[in-house]
Amino acid sequence: MEENLKREKARQIVNEAQKQIEPLFKTIDEIAEYNQEKVLKAFQKNKIGEEHFYTVTGYGHDDLGREALDKVFADVFNAEAAIVRPHFVSGTHTIACALFGVLRPGDALLSIAGAPYDTLDEIIGKNENHEFYNCSLKAMGVDYDEVPLVNDLDVDFDAIPKYIKPNTKMVTIQRSRGYSLRNSLTVNDIERIIKIVKGVNPDIVCFVDNCYGEFTQKLEPTDVGADIIAGSLIKNPGGGIVEAGGYLAGKKDLIEMCARRLTAPGIGTEGGAMFNQTRVMLQGFFMAPGVVSYALKGAILAAKVFENAGFKTHPSSDCTRCDLIQTIKFEEQKAQEAFCRVVQKYSPVESYLTPIPDGVPGYEDKLIMAGGSFIEGSTIELSADGPCRPPYAVYMQGGLSYFHVKLALIGIMEEFV
C-alpha cells in the first residue's frame, strides 16, 4: 500500500512537470519535421532502391550501397563528401581518424571550448608519462593548446585570435559538453567561432565533434562553414538501430585524407566491405530525426522534474537545446549512484543488474554507467552515467521512446521523494 502511494505521488510529480513543459514540445516537433524532410529529400535525390541494400564481400569494391550511403549523409549535412562506415569503432575513433588524417608533424591543434572530452587526452598526448603517449599527436610532433572557458561555462570568443599561431592547422570545436558543466554549443555559437578563426587565417581547418548534436537544430555545423564534422552511429544519426560505426562529412579533400587514415593510402573511401550493414544504416538515419525528438522531450522533462524538486540542472528546462545531454548535479556520490540504479532498473535490457563505479579505458576517474541498451554503449537509447568526482553530476541522454523516459523518471522520483 505504501509503495503504491509513493508511486502515485511520483507519477503526479512527473505529470505536473510535463504540463509545465508541453508548450516547448511544439518547437521540437517543428525541428523534427524540418529535419525529416531534409533526410527524405536526400533519399529521393540519390534514388535509394533495393539494390543499395545488397552487400559485397572481401575488399568491398564497387559497392553501390556504400557509395549511396555516403552521398545521403553528405547531402543531409550539406557537405561535399562523407564517409560512413561500421569500421569506425566509436566516436573517439572517428575523431582520431580526422585528427591524424589531417595533422602533420609541425602543425598545431587548438581546442576552442576548453578541454575536449576525456577520451581525447590520450590521442592528444596530454600526459607524457602515459603508456600510450608514443602513439599520440604530441609524440608525432603536433603542438596543442586550448582556449580556456569563461567561468568554466562559456567560450571566450575574444580570446580565440590570441591562441592562433602561424602553424595552427586545425581548430577542434566540441559541440556537446562531455563530462563537464560548460554550456553546449549552438550552431550559432559554432558559426561565430568559425568566422573568428577564418578571419585570422582562412586556411585553418575547422573540425567539429558533432556527437549528440545531430538533428537537435535545423542547421548543422557544415551549414555554417565547418570543414569537417564527426559523429557516432550509436548516437543520434543511427536512430537507435545501427549496431556500430561512425561518420565524417565535409570538404572532399579532407574526407579523403581522413579515409586514408581509416583504411590506407590508395584505398581511402573506395574499399571496405560493409558486412550487410548498409540497409540498417540508411534506415536508422531515416528514423533519426524522430528518435532525436523523443530524446529531447525526455531531457526537457527530466530537467523540469528535478528543477521542481530543488536540484541544479544544466541546461535548464527552458533553454534552447543543441544536444541530447541533460546534466543533474547531486553533490554527493550516494545520490548519483541511486539515480543510475533506477535508470538501470527501468532499462528494457539487463534491468536486473546493479551499476557500480569502476574504471573504464580512456578515463582517469571511475565512472558509474547505467543503461540496458539493445546496442552496447548506445547513448541514443536511455542511459545515464558520470565520473565519480565532485560535483557528482549525472549525465542523462537518449530515449528511443519519450514514454520510456517518463516511466524511468517516475521510478527515479519514487527513490527521491
Side-chain angles (χ1 to χ4, degrees), residues 145-157:
D145 204 353
E146 54 195 41
V147 182
L149 297 167
V150 178
N151 299 323
D152 293 326
L153 288 176
D154 298 300
V155 173
D156 191 344
F157 294 98

Side-chain angles (χ1 to χ4, degrees), residues 115-291:
Y117 195 63
D118 298 39
T119 57
L120 295 191
D121 287 357
E122 292 163 11
I123 293 168
I124 293 165
K126 286 188 171 184
N127 182 0
E128 293 185 12
N129 297 318
H130 198 283
E131 61 178 314
F132 302 128
Y133 178 79
N134 288 338
C135 306
S136 69
L137 289 168
K138 278 192 168 183
M140 190 178 80
V142 174
D143 191 16
Y144 172 77
D145 204 353
E146 54 195 41
V147 182
L149 297 167
V150 178
N151 299 323
D152 293 326
L153 288 176
D154 298 300
V155 173
D156 191 344
F157 294 98
D158 294 334
I160 293 172
K162 303 171 189 174
Y163 283 82
I164 296 175
K165 303 173 184 177
N167 65 332
T168 300
K169 176 69 174 291
M170 176 188 279
V171 298
T172 178
I173 306 163
Q174 183 175 290
R175 185 171 180 178
S176 188
R177 67 179 61 81
Y179 282 150
S180 76
L181 295 175
R182 76 156 170 86
N183 292 319
S184 295
L185 303 182
T186 66
V187 172
N188 285 342
D189 293 329
I190 293 168
E191 181 178 25
R192 184 177 172 188
I193 291 168
I194 292 170
K195 284 181 177 178
I196 292 170
V197 170
K198 297 287 188 180
V200 176
N201 181 353
D203 295 327
I204 292 175
V205 176
C206 290
F207 167 72
V208 177
D209 172 1
N210 207 29
C211 287
Y212 297 107
E214 297 93 347
F215 301 129
T216 60
Q217 297 183 274
K218 290 183 178 180
L219 295 179
E220 300 290 340
T222 32
D223 288 309
V224 296
D227 297 301
I228 322 175
I229 61 173
S232 167
L233 297 183
I234 62 170
K235 296 184 177 69
N236 304 24
I241 64 170
V242 178
E243 296 178 21
Y247 76 90
L248 292 162
K251 299 285 180 63
K252 186 175 182 179
D253 59 333
L254 297 174
I255 295 301
E256 280 297 329
M257 292 169 72
C258 300
R260 290 168 198 147
R261 175 71 190 191
L262 175 66
T263 57
I267 299 178
T269 59
E270 297 180 4
M274 294 293 285
F275 306 113
N276 208 31
Q277 293 296 301
T278 306
R279 180 196 59 79
V280 75
M281 286 182 172
L282 284 164
Q283 186 176 5
F285 196 48
F286 182 76
M287 294 167 59
V291 173

Side-chain angles (χ1 to χ4, degrees), residues 311-330:
F311 290 87
K312 293 181 180 178
T313 66
H314 189 72
S316 62
S317 58
D318 58 353
C319 275
T320 298
R321 296 279 159 164
C322 50
D323 70 356
L324 296 188
I325 298 175
Q326 180 59 52
T327 307
I328 303 159
K329 292 170 66 176
F330 289 112

Side-chain angles (χ1 to χ4, degrees), residues 29-47:
D29 288 340
E30 289 173 354
I31 292 170
E33 182 178 344
Y34 178 91
N35 285 320
Q36 189 68 70
E37 184 175 16
K38 185 165 56 174
V39 173
L40 177 60
K41 285 181 177 178
F43 274 66
Q44 294 167 330
K45 175 185 173 183
N46 290 285
K47 297 179 177 168

